[in-house]
């Protein structure tokens, strides 16, 4: 047998059959990210209506859960646990299987969002047209850029008075560092918003007061005297549109799928989620343009979705699904092969085999048992604390996905006990919370003090409460002026030893015994960096 034929025969053996492969090709896994209040919930609901998962709006996020306070956190956790909010909303649309991953709206859970981004193949960014690019979107976009995720942008709320549209595009390019490719363009805004012109199909969709959308199908070469157009638009509106289009043509590229898939350009849409205006168009484009699950990198090799054997990684752990039983669910993004009920998983880190009978998904608040799942799908498996974020599951192969990043926390406190006999319990609790990705904690070199670090301040309260309820430990906080930590490493062993010796007062171990440097401000950090050129200071590490 020739080498080529042999390779082909081998490939045939180790890839899924055509029926399964065609299922993978019809999967689209994406997340919506936005600054709170930009319209993520509204648009999600419209998508679910299109997918026929729900039949009315107002189901996903009842108002009482929107603005919560510290004391509500258990409720939030419970709500997050049982509701649609924790999870993946899967639905069929135009023959495609869509997995829409939810990202927490509150910034105190933003680390969760970063991790969700590792599990998707595409992202929809929503920008509130009346506010342009906001801080949280900038931060999330940084992560999307690291992962080179293809991004579609939706400028929402154009029925309100918005920023100058060109200024929004300018903001996106400067702040989010991605080139814009307008796909459609609004005619007017706020009270004078008349509709949208589709640059690629020359179609105008009119926005009428009672939200009924009238589409002018005419293949228009815009002309302000056009008799047909003048039935719907004022002369000055057509002239303005012509002017805008001229500007767009000279300043922006036209859509290039390759650049979109590389995360270099973002196709940009305008619309109004509340009025369900322009939403269907976006979902159509997600189906058309977003990639199906393809390849993921592991430490040792590239893993292809169409491979026969199962592999996947944990990107999220949700505790308190059932507080009485310390029930936890680990969410796994499937990378290759397929999941079937009752199959054996090899847990690469612990080298243990698990039989998975009850993988679940959450749809509209209901747990649903999953019988079969494919790459791009997310499955939730129950565990008692032995699974960490970043863990890989396979059917026996020793691979580790390098997908889930851990970010340096931004707020710090010293955590200590009233009763030092409980130290072991405290460490066990902190270790588990850290493995869930809720917090980071560090033990200083000098006196073994425990520094607790979080990304959202709300987590400080959550930690004390969870330590009390789940681990029966009463802990307290002391203020600290630490405001920055960096993981340190070096290829120069000698330089690393010298650095450690000279700076041991500012060093600590993290949960994985890796060393971090902590300091009080960026000037001190920069000074140290300039003094120790051989030391690498990192803001991020792999889970
Ligand atoms: P989020 O999940 O990103 O936090 O945003 P959400 O969808 O909850 O929307 C935030 C607010 O913006 C909501 O108003 C929502 O109705 C409004 N909104 C969303 N899309 C549009 C739009 O296209 N046009 C206009 N004018 N408003 C929009 P709210 O007053 O906070 O809540 P509600 O009383 O409307 O539920």
């Amino acid at each position: 047998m020739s080498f080529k034929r042999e390779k082909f025969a081998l490939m045939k053996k180790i890839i899924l059959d055509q029926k399964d492969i065609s299922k993978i090709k019809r999967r689209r896994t994406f997340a919506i990210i936005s600054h709170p209040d930009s319209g993520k919930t509204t648009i999600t609901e419209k998508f679910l209506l299109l997918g026929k998962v729900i039949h009315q709006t107002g189901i996903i996020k009842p108002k009482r859960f929107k603005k919560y306070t510290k004391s509500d956190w258990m409720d939030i956790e419970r709500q997050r646990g049982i509701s649609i909010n924790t999870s993946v909303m899967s639905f069929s649309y135009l023959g495609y299987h869509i997995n829409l991953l939810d990202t927490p709206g509150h910034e105190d859970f933003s680390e969760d969002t970063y991790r969700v981004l590792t599990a998707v193949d595409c992202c929809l960014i929503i920008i509130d047209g009346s506010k342009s690019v906001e801080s949280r979107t900038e931060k999330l976009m940084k992560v999307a850029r690291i992962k080179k995720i293809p991004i579609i942008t939706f400028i929402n709320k154009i029925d309100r008075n918005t920023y100058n549209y060109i200024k929004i595009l300018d903001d996106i390019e400067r702040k989010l560092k991605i080139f814009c490719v307008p796909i459609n363009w609004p005619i007017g805004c706020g009270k004078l918003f008349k509709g949208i012109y589709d640059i690629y199909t020359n179609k105008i969709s009119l926005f009428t007061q009672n939200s009924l959308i009238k589409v002018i199908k005419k293949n228009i070469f815009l002309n302000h005297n056009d008799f047909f157009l003048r039935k719907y638009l004022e002369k000055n509106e057509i002239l303005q549109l012509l002017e805008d289009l001229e500007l767009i043509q000279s300043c922006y590229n036209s859509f290039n799928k390759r650049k979109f898939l590389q995360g270099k350009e973002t196709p940009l849409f305008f619309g109004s989620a509340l009025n369900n205006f322009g939403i269907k168009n976006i979902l159509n484009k997600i189906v058309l343009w977003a990639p199906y699950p393809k390849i993921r990198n592991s430490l040792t090799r590239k893993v292809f979705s169409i491979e026969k054997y199962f592999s996947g990684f944990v990107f999220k752990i949700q505790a308190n699904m059932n507080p009485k039983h310390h029930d936890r669910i680990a969410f796994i993004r499937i990378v290759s092969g397929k999941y079937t009920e009752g199959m054996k998983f090899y847990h690469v880190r612990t080298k243990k085999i698990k039989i998975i009978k009850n993988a679940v998904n959450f749809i509209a608040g209901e747990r649903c048992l999953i019988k079969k799942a494919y790459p791009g799908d997310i499955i939730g498996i129950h565990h008692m604390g032995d699974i960490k974020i970043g863990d890989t599951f396979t059917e026996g192969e020793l691979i580790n996905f390098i997908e889930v990043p851990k970010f340096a926390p931004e707020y710090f406190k010293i955590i200590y006990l009233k009763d030092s006999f409980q130290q072991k319990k405290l460490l066990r609790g902190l270790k588990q919370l850290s493995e869930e990705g809720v917090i980071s904690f560090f033990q200083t070199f000098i006196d073994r003090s425990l520094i607790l670090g979080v990304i959202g301040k709300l987590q400080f309260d959550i930690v004390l409460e969870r330590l009390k309820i789940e681990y029966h430990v009463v802990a307290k906080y002391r203020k600290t002026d630490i405001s920055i930590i960096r993981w340190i490493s070096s290829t120069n062993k000698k330089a690393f030893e010298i650095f450690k010796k000279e700076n041991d007062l500012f060093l600590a171990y993290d949960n994985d015994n890796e060393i971090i440097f902590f300091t009080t401000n960026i000037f001190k950090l920069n000074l140290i960096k300039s003094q120790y050129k051989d030391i690498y200071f990192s803001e991020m590490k792999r889970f």
Side-chain angles (χ1 to χ4, degrees):
M1 212 189 275
S2 75
F3 172 70
K4 238 180 167 178
R5 287 178 97 187
E6 207 169 0
K7 200 172 158 200
F8 181 69
L10 187 72
M11 282 289 283
K12 257 180 105 175
K13 246 189 230 167
I14 57 169
I15 64 175
L16 291 164
D17 62 38
Q18 279 309 321
K19 216 168 135 199
D20 290 329
I21 293 176
S22 69
K23 285 199 168 128
I24 298 174
K25 290 192 173 167
R26 296 209 144 247
R27 271 166 160 74
R28 300 289 183 272
T29 301
F30 74 101
I32 303 179
I33 57 177
S34 66
H35 193 88
D37 275 341
S38 304
K40 181 166 71 74
T41 310
T42 314
I43 201 168
T44 301
E45 283 191 328
K46 302 295 189 268
F47 283 166
L48 295 187
L49 282 170
L50 285 168
K52 301 190 173 65
V53 176
I54 56 172
H55 302 284
Q56 68 191 81
T57 51
I59 292 177
I60 299 182
K61 192 162 61 174
K63 216 154 177 131
R64 66 181 183 283
F65 292 116
K66 279 189 76 171
K67 309 262 185 297
Y68 49 79
T69 59
K70 284 176 190 173
S71 58
D72 290 333
W73 79 265
M74 259 300 191
D75 255 359
I76 302 159
E77 289 286 298
R78 229 185 337 267
Q79 182 63 15
R80 275 156 45 86
I82 56 169
S83 83
I84 206 158
N85 287 342
T86 26
S87 57
V88 194
M89 291 155 259
S90 302
F91 56 93
S92 300
Y93 183 69
L94 302 179
Y96 288 82
H97 180 94
I98 313 265
N99 293 312
L100 167 54
L101 272 66
D102 188 53
T103 54
H106 197 287
E107 64 179 327
D108 282 13
F109 293 98
S110 56
E111 229 195 315
D112 259 9
T113 307
Y114 299 150
R115 287 190 291 258
V116 165
L117 293 185
T118 64
V120 298
D121 301 313
C122 179
C123 243
L124 174 64
I125 289 193
I126 302 180
I127 289 170
D128 181 337
S130 60
K131 295 187 179 142
S132 195
V133 176
E134 293 171 272
S135 58
R136 177 113 194 275
T137 318
E138 268 183 74
K139 233 172 142 185
L140 291 166
M141 184 64 189
K142 263 191 195 169
V143 185
R145 244 196 338 266
I146 295 170
K147 309 291 307 169
K148 295 198 173 87
I149 304 173
I151 288 163
I152 294 178
T153 304
F154 180 63
I155 315 284
N156 190 25
K157 305 194 188 181
I158 48 170
D159 56 315
R160 280 192 185 167
N161 274 332
T162 59
Y163 263 61
N164 172 325
Y165 295 132
I166 296 288
K167 166 96 179 52
I168 298 178
L169 267 62
D170 214 40
D171 256 13
I172 295 174
E173 294 200 335
R174 270 187 310 105
K175 293 185 180 165
L176 304 185
K177 303 192 193 322
I178 188 162
F179 292 109
C180 293
V181 179
I183 303 294
N184 60 25
W185 198 255
I187 305 165
C189 79
K191 285 202 173 92
L192 299 176
F193 173 55
K194 282 290 183 68
I196 279 175
Y197 174 73
D198 189 312
I199 298 170
Y200 289 80
T201 58
N202 291 337
K203 209 159 84 177
I204 287 184
S205 308
L206 283 181
F207 180 74
T208 58
Q209 286 232 307
N210 56 5
S211 289
L212 282 174
I213 302 153
K214 204 172 200 154
V215 178
I216 305 181
K217 284 205 172 140
K218 199 180 174 201
N219 214 335
I220 340 151
F221 292 100
L222 289 173
N223 168 354
H224 65 270
N225 283 325
D226 186 304
F227 173 71
F228 184 72
L229 271 183
R230 288 295 304 277
K231 271 206 293 191
Y232 305 101
L233 301 172
E234 300 293 330
K235 184 173 173 179
N236 64 330
E237 287 165 341
I238 304 175
L239 282 172
Q240 182 64 51
L241 178 62
L242 279 165
E243 202 179 295
D244 287 351
L245 292 175
E246 207 171 307
L247 192 74
I248 292 165
Q249 212 168 28
S250 58
C251 297
Y252 298 96
N253 288 339
S254 39
F255 180 69
N256 175 320
K257 193 166 173 192
R258 191 173 47 85
K259 288 188 179 159
F260 158 67
L261 291 176
Q262 290 169 341
K264 289 182 180 161
E265 288 182 352
T266 177
L268 200 116
F269 297 82
F270 291 84
S272 165
L274 191 64
N275 295 292
N276 209 350
F277 191 75
I279 306 303
K280 195 170 171 185
N281 191 19
I282 292 198
L283 200 54
N284 290 347
K285 291 300 188 304
I286 287 174
V287 160
L288 195 67
W289 293 340
Y292 65 85
K294 282 184 185 154
I295 305 169
R296 294 272 167 161
N297 287 321
S298 79
L299 282 176
T300 42
R301 70 176 183 91
K302 284 187 186 324
V303 180
F304 293 81
S305 59
I306 56 170
E307 288 179 26
K308 187 172 177 184
Y309 294 107
F310 176 93
S311 68
F313 62 91
V314 178
F315 67 96
K316 180 183 173 89
I317 288 181
Q318 182 70 47
N320 292 318
M321 303 301 275
N322 180 346
K324 275 190 207 142
H325 300 111
H326 282 214
D327 181 359
R328 288 182 166 80
I329 294 222
F331 289 92
I332 298 173
R333 146 87 196 214
I334 303 182
V335 175
S336 66
K338 63 178 174 186
Y339 162 81
T340 45
E341 199 180 8
M343 75 182 284
K344 284 182 190 158
F345 273 5
Y346 178 63
H347 187 188
V348 176
R349 182 175 54 83
T350 60
K351 299 187 173 56
K352 285 187 182 148
I353 288 177
K354 283 179 185 291
I355 297 177
I356 311 293
K357 282 192 193 134
N358 51 1
V360 287
N361 192 358
F362 297 82
I363 296 179
E366 296 290 327
R367 280 183 197 214
C368 307
L369 271 184
I370 301 175
K371 293 205 179 300
K372 248 188 202 165
Y374 292 88
D377 291 350
I378 311 297
I379 56 171
I381 62 170
H382 298 261
H383 70 110
M384 298 303 287
D386 54 340
I387 297 179
K388 273 197 335 184
I389 288 180
D391 280 358
T392 297
F393 286 93
T394 65
E395 284 189 67
E397 191 180 349
L398 283 172
I399 48 175
N400 270 300
F401 288 106
I402 44 174
E403 297 285 350
V404 191
K406 184 169 182 69
F407 291 89
E410 288 163 18
Y411 303 100
F412 301 87
K413 283 187 179 177
I414 305 291
I415 185 163
Y416 67 98
L417 286 167
K418 275 172 106 179
D419 172 2
S420 60
F421 288 116
Q422 290 189 312
Q423 185 75 3
K424 256 191 176 167
K425 271 192 191 171
L426 173 67
L427 284 173
R428 190 163 62 86
L430 291 179
K431 193 170 159 46
Q432 246 168 28
L433 294 179
S434 151
E435 285 171 359
E436 269 176 37
V438 175
I439 53 145
S440 302
F441 79 100
F442 313 99
Q443 270 195 305
T444 60
F445 269 33
I446 293 296
D447 62 2
R448 300 269 145 191
S449 304
L450 289 169
I451 306 165
L452 187 79
V454 297
I455 287 200
K457 283 182 185 166
L458 181 66
Q459 299 292 359
F460 283 128
D461 300 283
I462 294 177
V463 169
L464 285 195
E465 206 63 21
R466 282 192 61 185
L467 284 172
K468 198 161 87 188
I469 294 168
E470 292 169 40
Y471 302 92
H472 312 291
V473 173
V474 182
K476 283 189 149 195
Y477 290 130
R478 202 171 44 235
K479 273 192 185 161
T480 169
D481 52 8
I482 295 170
S483 73
I484 294 173
I485 71 111
R486 293 289 181 266
W487 282 275
I488 52 165
S489 57
S490 176
T491 46
N492 181 339
K493 256 188 174 176
K494 200 169 158 207
F496 197 53
E497 287 311 313
I498 292 172
F499 176 81
K500 283 196 318 194
K501 208 165 160 197
E502 292 178 352
N503 293 282
D504 56 355
L505 199 57
F506 307 104
L507 298 180
Y509 290 108
D510 74 0
N511 189 24
D512 303 312
N513 268 335
E514 286 179 34
I515 302 173
I516 58 121
F517 172 78
F518 57 86
T519 186
T520 51
N521 62 56
I522 195 77
F523 305 107
K524 286 191 182 166
L525 177 67
N526 288 338
L527 186 67
I528 285 279
K529 276 184 178 173
S530 66
Q531 285 168 351
Y532 296 91
K533 299 273 190 219
D534 283 334
I535 309 297
Y536 182 64
F537 294 79
S538 173
E539 245 181 287
M540 200 172 89
K541 76 165 198 169
R542 209 167 53 81
F543 252 96

